[in-house]
Amino acid sequence: YRAPLASSYMKKISLEDFILLMGFVAGEEPEEADALLFIQGDGLSRPEAAVELFKQRIASNIILTGEVTRSPGKQESRTAPVLQQFLQKRIPRSRIFLEKNSINTREQAVEAMKIVKKNKWKSLILVIPLFHAPRAYATFLRAMNEMKMKVKIMNLPVRSLAWLLPTAYGDNTRSELLKRELRKINAYLEKGHVAPMK
């Protein structure tokens, strides 16, 4: 699916709207869901959060999504080490749905929603770093709407991660990555890849 450019009929998200969206995704209390959606990409910093939620039986399945590159010269995988951690924590392989085709948030949303649709799931919890939560949530809503699905998408951003230490994203701190997110969400909006604030 190729979404039309949105710049002609959508305004960019303002800083105020971005803060509102951040407050919304950070303030939810997720209920039980069919699956956890673990977006790999912030280094190996969050698998424990997904494992903990699974063991609390908040969800009985995990979707693991997000590869690093399509460059033929690089074979590094971001999903493989996380999958290994899940298995070491005794999460059954039959409950882990591995998606390895995507390398960015838009592609992760589309590919993950295909898994949700195939399994006829009705609810999903996004397990993501807090700085990424607003754009990820808006991107998943857009993918859901494009596929004419009705899924309850809840947010459970991981809040216990350090904000001032280097991450796997080019040694940038999460506070630096947060500053980029307003620019990135507006770039996604112009491409028609995120749901507008309305």
Side-chain angles (χ1 to χ4, degrees), residues 15-198:
L15 177 60
E16 291 77 11
D17 280 343
F18 182 76
I19 292 171
L20 179 65
L21 185 56
M22 173 67 86
F24 177 74
V25 299
E28 281 195 301
E29 290 293 335
E31 307 161 6
E32 289 186 10
D34 292 317
L36 302 169
L37 190 287
F38 182 88
I39 299 179
Q40 176 53 19
D42 189 15
L44 297 178
S45 57
R46 294 167 285 116
E48 298 82 2
V51 169
E52 182 71 20
L53 291 169
F54 184 88
K55 291 191 172 181
Q56 290 174 7
R57 298 187 179 181
I58 289 179
S60 54
N61 302 286
I62 297 178
I63 301 172
L64 173 57
T65 177
E67 280 301 303
V68 67
T69 181
R70 287 198 188 95
S71 173
K74 294 184 179 180
Q75 299 299 322
E76 180 185 356
S77 171
R78 292 193 297 191
T79 53
V82 178
L83 175 62
Q84 193 59 37
Q85 286 196 25
F86 286 165
L87 295 175
Q88 288 173 354
K89 297 293 184 178
R90 300 186 184 276
I91 295 179
R93 181 62 182 87
S94 61
R95 294 294 182 180
I96 303 170
F97 293 76
L98 187 61
E99 183 284 299
K100 299 197 298 181
N101 297 320
S102 63
I103 59 170
N104 59 48
T105 307
R106 162 68 180 178
E107 293 177 4
Q108 289 167 344
V110 170
E111 295 299 323
M113 293 309 290
K114 289 178 184 177
I115 296 172
V116 173
K117 189 171 189 175
K118 180 178 180 180
N119 288 279
K120 299 180 180 178
W121 293 332
K122 298 297 181 185
S123 54
L124 186 65
I125 297 175
L126 303 183
V127 183
I128 44 186
L130 183 57
F131 75 85
H132 184 37
R135 180 166 57 94
Y137 178 59
T139 305
F140 271 79
L141 284 179
R142 177 69 186 218
M144 179 191 74
N145 290 333
E146 288 174 359
M147 297 173 71
K148 296 180 170 50
M149 298 168 64
K150 191 172 184 180
V151 179
K152 185 172 186 178
I153 302 176
M154 296 171 277
N155 297 278
L156 194 58
V158 182
R159 300 179 178 88
S160 58
L161 303 175
W163 280 90
L164 301 177
L165 297 179
T167 68
Y169 282 112
D171 288 334
N172 290 297
T173 67
R174 292 184 182 89
S175 61
E176 291 168 337
L177 293 169
L178 175 62
K179 294 174 185 176
R180 295 182 185 178
E181 281 298 305
L182 181 59
R183 183 173 70 250
K184 292 180 81 169
I185 199 171
N186 279 321
Y188 267 49
L189 183 62
E190 289 188 4
K191 294 176 182 177
H193 290 175
V194 297
M197 284 298 292
K198 182 178 180 180

